[in-house]
Amino acid sequence: GDLEVALGLSSMAVNLGSFREVLGGTIFPYICEFYRSMTQMSILHLQPCKKGLSMVKKSIKVLRSGRKKSPGNLSHHVCLLEAEYAFAQRNFDSAERLYLEAIHHATGVIHEYALGCERLGWFYIQRANRESAQEQLEKARLLYLKWGAKAKAEHLEKKYSQQITKGKKGQELF
């Protein structure tokens, strides 16, 4: 997809005054903040820039404050964004630990669990750990299918065709 368009749209959603007024007492502004920052991280992985990293660091602080109010809903978001930030800072041990922690917190929320596995698989590709990458990406593909996101699963198959080997149909993950 077009990362710049996604970043623009998610930034608009985060900055809409009426949006904040209506949904201010819910987790939705935090979720928008998370996806905006994940989009920013995708751009930064391609084109590093200090201003973008600074924006993500601020978003992490916002999400941490939200996690205090709703840890069950936001802990996995905080950990996943912190993992992406740690990777960008080349702190690979912390990044791996945070990806795993994000997955742990997302257990039971299929699409968030899938996203955590997908990002950990990407991390392992970057670190040349083919076996672990294959395991995580296949798990993500199966979770997306279980969630009903066939197009997303097909996107993973296409994007990571070298890493994903289709498992048995109906393979259970839980």
Side-chain angles (χ1 to χ4, degrees):
D2 190 332
L3 293 173
E4 296 293 338
V5 171
L7 182 62
L9 291 173
S10 60
S11 293
M12 284 175 38
V14 167
N15 294 323
L16 286 175
S18 59
F19 174 80
R20 287 191 180 273
E21 289 173 23
V22 172
L23 300 173
T26 71
I27 63 167
F28 293 110
Y30 297 107
I31 292 171
C32 289
E33 186 75 34
F34 167 74
Y35 283 107
R36 178 176 69 117
S37 294
M38 287 296 288
T39 304
Q40 181 68 51
M41 286 306 309
S42 293
I43 293 168
L44 290 171
H45 290 315
L46 299 171
Q47 303 167 339
C49 131
K50 287 186 179 187
K51 183 179 177 184
L53 274 177
S54 174
M55 188 276 298
V56 171
K57 192 173 184 176
K58 289 178 186 173
S59 293
I60 290 171
K61 288 180 182 178
V62 169
L63 287 169
R64 283 179 181 160
S65 73
R67 178 176 59 185
K68 289 176 186 173
K69 299 172 189 171
S70 186
N73 290 313
L74 297 172
S75 291
H76 54 283
H77 290 123
V78 174
C79 292
L80 192 54
L81 189 55
E82 286 177 334
E84 295 285 323
Y85 186 82
F87 180 88
Q89 298 285 51
R90 305 186 60 76
N91 189 343
F92 303 123
D93 291 338
S94 288
E96 183 177 27
R97 178 184 53 76
L98 287 161
Y99 282 120
L100 291 167
E101 192 174 330
I103 290 168
H104 169 76
H105 286 297
T107 302
V109 185
I110 295 174
H111 66 288
E112 300 290 1
Y113 189 178
L115 178 60
C117 292
E118 178 184 353
R119 296 309 300 157
L120 181 58
W122 173 87
F123 168 81
Y124 285 137
I125 290 170
Q126 305 309 307
R127 303 298 298 148
N129 185 339
R130 183 178 164 85
E131 188 175 313
S132 294
Q134 182 177 357
E135 178 185 334
Q136 292 302 316
L137 291 169
E138 178 60 10
K139 189 184 292 185
R141 185 185 74 81
L142 291 170
L143 285 162
Y144 283 128
L145 285 173
K146 185 173 184 169
W147 189 48
K150 184 178 178 188
K152 178 62 178 177
E154 290 171 355
H155 170 76
L156 282 185
E157 288 174 21
K158 185 176 178 182
K159 184 174 182 177
Y160 299 112
S161 61
Q162 298 297 313
Q163 288 79 23
I164 292 179
T165 56
K166 291 184 185 181
K168 297 175 189 169
K169 248 187 175 173
Q171 182 176 348
E172 290 298 318
L173 293 173
F174 297 108

PDB file of all heavy atoms in Angstrom, residues 18 40 74 78 85 108 139 148 152:
ATOM      1  N   SER A  18     -13.076  17.099  17.022  1.00  0.00           N
ATOM      2  CA  SER A  18     -14.357  16.487  17.381  1.00  0.00           C
ATOM      3  C   SER A  18     -14.178  14.994  17.661  1.00  0.00           C
ATOM      4  O   SER A  18     -14.863  14.436  18.513  1.00  0.00           O
ATOM      5  CB  SER A  18     -15.379  16.698  16.264  1.00  0.00           C
ATOM      6  OG  SER A  18     -14.911  16.124  15.058  1.00  0.00           O
ATOM      7  N   GLN A  40       4.288   5.183  10.514  1.00  0.00           N
ATOM      8  CA  GLN A  40       5.514   5.998  10.529  1.00  0.00           C
ATOM      9  C   GLN A  40       6.748   5.106  10.627  1.00  0.00           C
ATOM     10  O   GLN A  40       7.746   5.334   9.951  1.00  0.00           O
ATOM     11  CB  GLN A  40       5.480   6.982  11.699  1.00  0.00           C
ATOM     12  CG  GLN A  40       6.709   7.886  11.794  1.00  0.00           C
ATOM     13  CD  GLN A  40       6.773   8.874  10.646  1.00  0.00           C
ATOM     14  OE1 GLN A  40       5.805   9.577  10.375  1.00  0.00           O
ATOM     15  NE2 GLN A  40       7.894   8.937   9.966  1.00  0.00           N
ATOM     16  N   LEU A  74      -4.303  -2.224  25.682  1.00  0.00           N
ATOM     17  CA  LEU A  74      -3.228  -1.453  25.048  1.00  0.00           C
ATOM     18  C   LEU A  74      -1.816  -1.979  25.295  1.00  0.00           C
ATOM     19  O   LEU A  74      -0.879  -1.500  24.662  1.00  0.00           O
ATOM     20  CB  LEU A  74      -3.315   0.015  25.491  1.00  0.00           C
ATOM     21  CG  LEU A  74      -4.601   0.730  25.065  1.00  0.00           C
ATOM     22  CD1 LEU A  74      -4.698   2.100  25.709  1.00  0.00           C
ATOM     23  CD2 LEU A  74      -4.685   0.838  23.551  1.00  0.00           C
ATOM     24  N   VAL A  78       1.606  -1.071  22.997  1.00  0.00           N
ATOM     25  CA  VAL A  78       2.794  -0.413  23.530  1.00  0.00           C
ATOM     26  C   VAL A  78       4.041  -1.261  23.250  1.00  0.00           C
ATOM     27  O   VAL A  78       5.043  -0.752  22.735  1.00  0.00           O
ATOM     28  CB  VAL A  78       2.664  -0.137  25.048  1.00  0.00           C
ATOM     29  CG1 VAL A  78       3.960   0.401  25.621  1.00  0.00           C
ATOM     30  CG2 VAL A  78       1.524   0.840  25.319  1.00  0.00           C
ATOM     31  N   TYR A  85      10.535   0.549  17.591  1.00  0.00           N
ATOM     32  CA  TYR A  85      11.448   1.647  17.922  1.00  0.00           C
ATOM     33  C   TYR A  85      12.825   1.100  18.304  1.00  0.00           C
ATOM     34  O   TYR A  85      13.849   1.613  17.864  1.00  0.00           O
ATOM     35  CB  TYR A  85      10.844   2.478  19.060  1.00  0.00           C
ATOM     36  CG  TYR A  85      11.635   3.716  19.387  1.00  0.00           C
ATOM     37  CD1 TYR A  85      11.485   4.871  18.634  1.00  0.00           C
ATOM     38  CD2 TYR A  85      12.534   3.731  20.454  1.00  0.00           C
ATOM     39  CE1 TYR A  85      12.205   6.017  18.933  1.00  0.00           C
ATOM     40  CE2 TYR A  85      13.261   4.873  20.754  1.00  0.00           C
ATOM     41  CZ  TYR A  85      13.096   6.006  19.987  1.00  0.00           C
ATOM     42  OH  TYR A  85      13.818   7.133  20.269  1.00  0.00           O
ATOM     43  N   GLY A 108      -5.302 -14.217  22.346  1.00  0.00           N
ATOM     44  CA  GLY A 108      -6.753 -14.153  22.486  1.00  0.00           C
ATOM     45  C   GLY A 108      -7.386 -13.077  21.627  1.00  0.00           C
ATOM     46  O   GLY A 108      -8.590 -13.080  21.410  1.00  0.00           O
ATOM     47  N   LYS A 139       2.586 -18.640  11.155  1.00  0.00           N
ATOM     48  CA  LYS A 139       1.622 -18.481  12.255  1.00  0.00           C
ATOM     49  C   LYS A 139       0.735 -17.262  11.990  1.00  0.00           C
ATOM     50  O   LYS A 139      -0.489 -17.338  12.164  1.00  0.00           O
ATOM     51  CB  LYS A 139       2.364 -18.316  13.581  1.00  0.00           C
ATOM     52  CG  LYS A 139       1.458 -18.372  14.794  1.00  0.00           C
ATOM     53  CD  LYS A 139       2.194 -18.105  16.095  1.00  0.00           C
ATOM     54  CE  LYS A 139       3.160 -19.203  16.449  1.00  0.00           C
ATOM     55  NZ  LYS A 139       3.789 -18.981  17.779  1.00  0.00           N
ATOM     56  N   GLY A 148     -10.527 -14.443   9.503  1.00  0.00           N
ATOM     57  CA  GLY A 148     -11.376 -14.187   8.341  1.00  0.00           C
ATOM     58  C   GLY A 148     -10.773 -13.211   7.351  1.00  0.00           C
ATOM     59  O   GLY A 148     -11.439 -12.783   6.407  1.00  0.00           O
ATOM     60  N   LYS A 152      -5.569 -10.530   3.580  1.00  0.00           N
ATOM     61  CA  LYS A 152      -4.327 -10.260   4.322  1.00  0.00           C
ATOM     62  C   LYS A 152      -3.425 -11.490   4.309  1.00  0.00           C
ATOM     63  O   LYS A 152      -2.214 -11.385   4.136  1.00  0.00           O
ATOM     64  CB  LYS A 152      -4.641  -9.829   5.760  1.00  0.00           C
ATOM     65  CG  LYS A 152      -3.427  -9.576   6.622  1.00  0.00           C
ATOM     66  CD  LYS A 152      -2.553  -8.438   6.086  1.00  0.00           C
ATOM     67  CE  LYS A 152      -1.377  -8.195   7.017  1.00  0.00           C
ATOM     68  NZ  LYS A 152      -0.470  -7.182   6.522  1.00  0.00           N
TER      69      LYS A 152
END
